[in-house]
C-alpha cells in the first residue's frame, strides 16, 4: 500500500481562500441583486501593455518559422533576458550581480516554494507573522515545520517574528537564531517596507550567524520612498547571505503569462558549497525553462517604451491605493501600507476580529477583502484590501465602506 506524504496532512492554508469563497458565494446567492466588489485577491486587472503585446506577437511569429523556431529554453533562462535583468535591476543600481547568478523562472511563487529544497530538513526556518503563506506551507510539505498548534495558529518548529503596529509592521531582529529567514519587502500582506538601514541590520545579522535570507521582492516596482531599497544587494555583504526573488506579475501584469527570477550569488556559500551551484542543479533537473515567447515579453519590460508603460500600470494601481488610504483615514480608520505597496492593511474598528469585519463589510458594503488572521495570528484584528481593481470599483468600494 502506497503511503502518502503525511506532511501534506498538516497543511492548514487552503482554509483562508476557500472560506472566503464559500462566504461570498452564499452571500451572492442570498442577495442576487447586490453588486459585490472584490478587493481581496492580489491579482492584477489591467491588460498587458502594447510593447509587451508587440513582443509576444513577434515571438509567436518566430515560432512559426523553422529558421527562428525555438525548442527547449536554456534551463537557467535566455541570455537576452538575464542580460536585461542584470543591467537594469542590478548594475544600474550599483549592485554587483553577474548574469550567471540570475535564474529565470515561471514566477516568485514557485521559486519561494521550491527554494527550501536546497536546505537540510533540520534547518530552522523563520518567517514574519503575518506572512505570505507559501513560505510556511512549502516548509510544511517538506517536513520541516513540526506539528500544528490549533490554539496558537502556529507550527512548532517554525520561528515566527511578530510584526505589529508598534514596529510599523516591520520585523525586528529576534534573539533566537534561524538558519533560513524569509523576508518580504514591500510586504504582502501588510504593505510595510524595510528601509535600507533596517535591511542592512538583517544582512549583518545573517552574516554574523551564518543564516541565509530569502528576500522576496515581488512588489519592488511599487516602492516610492527613497530610503527603501529595491534590492537586498544594495546592502553591504548581502551577496554572502541572501537569495532574492523577483516577479513580473505585479509590475508588468504577467500573473497569467508567468515569469520571474531568482538571484543566487556565487559568493553565497554554506558548508563549503555555493548555493548557486545547488540551485543551478535543481533548476536543470526539475525545470525546463520559461517559454521563449514569455521571456521575450520579459525582455520588452526593460525597453524604454516598456519601462514607461510599466510605470503607467504601477501608477494606475497606486492611484487606487491612495484613494483607499486617504478615504479610510478620513473616515477614522487606522491604516497602514499603500505607499510602497499595492496593499492596504487596516485595523478593524471596534475591536472586531478579522472575520467579524469580513462579514460586516460583505453584508453592509458588499465589499470583499482578506481577513488579516488568515496570514498568521499576528494578523488578527487586521484586514487587507488590494488596489488591483479598476478606478471605478475601487472608488465605489471605498465610498461604500466609509458610509456604512
Ligand atoms: N511573493 C509574494 C509576496 C506575493 O504576494 C506573490 C503573489 O501574490 C508572489 C510572490 C507570487 O508571484 P508570482 O506571480 O511571480 O508567482
Amino acid at each position: 500500500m502506497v503511503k502518502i506524504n503525511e506532511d501534506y496532512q498538516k497543511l492548514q492554508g487552503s482554509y483562508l481562500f476557500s472560506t472566503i469563497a464559500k462566504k461570498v458565494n452564499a452571500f451572492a446567492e442570498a442577495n442576487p441583486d447586490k453588486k459585490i466588489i472584490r478587493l481581496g485577491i492580489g491579482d492584477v486587472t489591467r491588460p498587458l501593455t502594447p510593447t509587451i503585446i508587440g513582443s509576444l506577437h513577434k515571438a509567436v511569429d518566430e515560432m512559426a518559422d523553422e529558421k527562428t523556431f525555438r525548442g527547449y529554453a536554456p534551463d537557467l533562462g535566455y541570455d537576452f533576458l538575464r542580460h536585461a535583468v542584470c543591467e537594469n535591476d542590478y548594475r544600474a543600481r550599483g549592485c554587483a550581480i553577474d548574469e550567471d547568478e540570475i535564474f529565470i523562472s515561471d514566477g516568485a511563487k514557485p521559486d519561494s516554494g521550491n527554494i527550501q529544497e536546497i536546505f537540510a530538513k533540520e534547518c530552522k526556518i523563520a518567517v514574519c507573522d503575518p506572512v505570505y503563506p507559501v513560505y510556511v506551507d512549502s516548509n510544511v510539505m517538506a517536513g520541516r515545520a513540526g506539528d500544528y498548534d490549533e490554539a496558537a495558529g502556529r507550527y512548532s518548529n517554525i520561528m515566527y517574528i511578530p510584526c505589529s503596529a508598534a514596529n510599523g509592521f516591520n520585523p525586528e531582529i529576534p534573539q533566537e537564531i534561524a538558519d533560513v529567514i524569509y523576508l518580504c519587502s514591500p510586504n504582502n500582506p501588510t504593505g510595510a517596507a524595510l528601509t535600507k538601514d533596517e535591511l542592512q541590520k538583517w544582512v549583518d545579522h545573517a552574516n554574523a550567524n551564518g543564516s541565509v535570507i530569502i528576500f522576496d521582492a515581488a512588489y519592488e516596482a511599487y516602492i516610492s520612498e527613497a530610503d527603501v531599497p529595491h534590492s537586498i544587494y544594495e546592502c553591504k555583504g548581502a551577496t554572502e547571505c541572501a537569495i532574492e526573488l523577483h516577479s513580473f506579475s505585479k509590475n508588468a501584469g504577467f500573473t497569467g503569462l508567468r515569469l520571474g527570477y531568482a538571484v543566487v550569488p556565487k559568493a553565497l556559500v554554506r558548508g563549503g558549497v555555493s548555493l548557486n551551484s545547488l540551485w543551478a542543479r535543481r533548476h536543470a533537473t526539475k525545470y525546463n525553462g520559461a517559454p521563449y515567447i514569455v521571456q521575450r515579453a520579459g525582455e520588452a519590460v526593460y525597453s524604454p517604451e516598456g519601462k514607461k508603460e510599466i510605470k503607467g500600470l504601477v501608477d494606475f494601481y497606486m492611484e487606487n491605493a491612495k484613494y483607499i488610504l486617504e478615504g479610510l483615514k478620513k473616515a477614522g480608520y487606522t491604516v497602514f501600507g499603500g505607499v510602497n505597496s499595492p496593499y492596504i492593511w487596516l485595523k478593524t474598528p471596534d475591536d472586531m476580529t478579522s472575520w467579524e469585519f469580513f462579514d460586516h463589510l460583505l453584508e453592509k458594503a458588499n465589499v470583499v477583502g482578506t481577513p488579516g488572521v488568515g496570514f498568521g495570528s499576528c494578523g488578527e484584528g487586521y484586514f487587507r484590501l488590494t488596489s488591483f481593481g479598476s478606478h471605478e470599483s475601487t472608488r465605489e468600494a471605498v465610498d461604500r465602506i466609509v458610509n456604512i
Side-chain angles (χ1 to χ4, degrees):
M1 180 67 172
V2 170
K3 285 189 180 166
I4 61 150
N5 177 349
E6 287 295 336
D7 291 313
Y8 275 58
Q9 302 293 88
K10 297 179 181 171
L11 288 167
Q12 310 292 317
S14 61
Y15 173 73
L16 173 66
F17 287 103
S18 65
T19 308
I20 291 176
K22 261 188 228 151
K23 279 177 178 273
V24 174
N25 290 342
F27 181 82
E29 245 172 61
N31 302 276
D33 54 316
K34 301 266 199 267
K35 185 181 145 216
I36 297 171
I37 302 179
R38 293 162 208 266
L39 299 183
I41 292 179
D43 197 0
V44 295
T45 54
R46 304 296 301 155
L48 296 170
T49 65
T51 300
I52 307 298
I53 291 293
S55 72
L56 280 170
H57 280 300
K58 185 164 174 281
V60 168
D61 287 341
E62 285 177 50
M63 296 298 257
D65 182 336
E66 69 175 344
K67 290 196 262 340
T68 48
F69 167 78
R70 314 275 181 137
Y72 288 123
D75 300 325
L76 309 185
Y78 281 104
D79 287 344
F80 61 78
L81 181 56
R82 295 172 97 192
H83 178 73
V85 166
C86 194
E87 286 300 323
N88 290 280
D89 289 348
Y90 295 102
R91 291 194 185 135
R93 293 186 177 128
C95 302
I97 293 297
D98 290 329
E99 288 172 26
D100 60 359
E101 296 173 313
I102 294 161
F103 298 76
I104 305 301
S105 73
D106 56 348
K109 182 175 187 175
D111 280 345
S112 63
N114 291 328
I115 196 73
Q116 47 76 29
E117 272 188 39
I118 62 170
F119 300 103
K121 193 166 170 182
E122 57 271 24
C123 279
K124 184 83 178 177
I125 303 297
V127 296
C128 296
D129 181 359
V131 68
Y132 177 56
V134 176
Y135 314 149
V136 173
D137 287 357
S138 54
N139 280 289
V140 172
M141 291 167 167
R144 219 177 261 117
D147 294 319
Y148 189 69
D149 178 339
E150 287 281 347
R154 290 181 164 190
Y155 290 92
S156 58
N157 282 351
I158 288 192
M159 191 175 139
Y160 293 86
I161 306 165
C163 297
S164 65
N167 52 23
F169 288 97
N170 273 327
E172 280 170 13
I173 293 170
Q175 295 293 319
E176 199 189 340
I177 294 178
D179 297 305
V180 181
I181 303 162
Y182 290 80
L183 294 178
C184 175
S185 174
N187 191 268
N188 176 16
T190 67
L194 290 160
T195 64
K196 189 168 168 190
D197 289 349
E198 287 165 339
L199 189 56
Q200 183 66 56
K201 286 185 194 147
W202 279 98
V203 168
D204 295 343
H205 169 77
N207 275 329
N209 298 293
S211 312
V212 172
I213 295 173
I214 311 294
F215 188 73
D216 188 339
Y219 297 95
E220 169 272 316
Y222 290 84
I223 293 170
S224 68
E225 293 182 318
D227 60 349
V228 175
H230 289 252
S231 163
I232 195 166
Y233 304 116
E234 290 175 42
C235 296
K236 262 197 207 114
T239 53
E240 279 131 62
C241 68
I243 290 171
E244 182 163 284
L245 311 179
H246 272 256
S247 169
F248 288 76
S249 287
K250 308 301 163 91
N251 59 344
F254 280 29
T255 52
L257 274 189
R258 307 307 305 145
L259 193 66
Y261 67 85
V263 180
V264 189
K266 287 172 293 214
L268 177 48
V269 174
R270 291 293 180 270
V273 178
S274 157
L275 299 196
N276 178 285
S277 68
L278 292 186
W279 192 240
R281 186 60 205 258
R282 191 262 167 213
H283 235 53
T285 301
K286 293 195 174 180
Y287 186 60
N288 246 345
Y292 172 69
I293 59 172
V294 178
Q295 294 198 48
R296 279 294 184 201
E299 181 190 33
V301 167
Y302 295 103
S303 67
E305 274 311 305
K307 282 182 188 170
K308 252 189 255 163
E309 291 167 3
I310 269 54
K311 185 176 177 307
L313 286 180
V314 170
D315 289 349
F316 180 95
Y317 294 129
M318 287 312 277
E319 197 180 315
N320 287 345
K322 194 166 174 234
Y323 194 88
I324 302 174
L325 205 60
E326 288 178 358
L328 294 186
K329 249 189 221 168
K330 229 186 268 166
Y333 281 86
T334 305
V335 276
F336 303 88
V339 175
N340 296 298
S341 153
Y343 294 119
I344 282 83
W345 185 244
L346 62 101
K347 175 89 196 83
T348 59
D350 306 324
D351 287 331
M352 276 188 240
T353 65
S354 297
W355 279 111
E356 282 167 356
F357 187 67
F358 175 92
D359 291 334
H360 175 71
L361 216 57
L362 182 59
E363 278 158 29
K364 300 283 188 300
N366 315 142
V367 171
V368 180
T370 312
V373 71
F375 299 100
S377 54
C378 291
E380 180 57 285
Y382 287 89
F383 200 77
R384 191 191 76 172
L385 293 173
T386 86
S387 49
F388 287 125
S390 67
H391 287 332
E392 297 70 33
S393 64
T394 303
R395 288 192 183 137
E396 192 178 336
V398 173
D399 296 347
R400 287 191 205 166
I401 296 170
V402 304
N403 288 312
I404 286 177

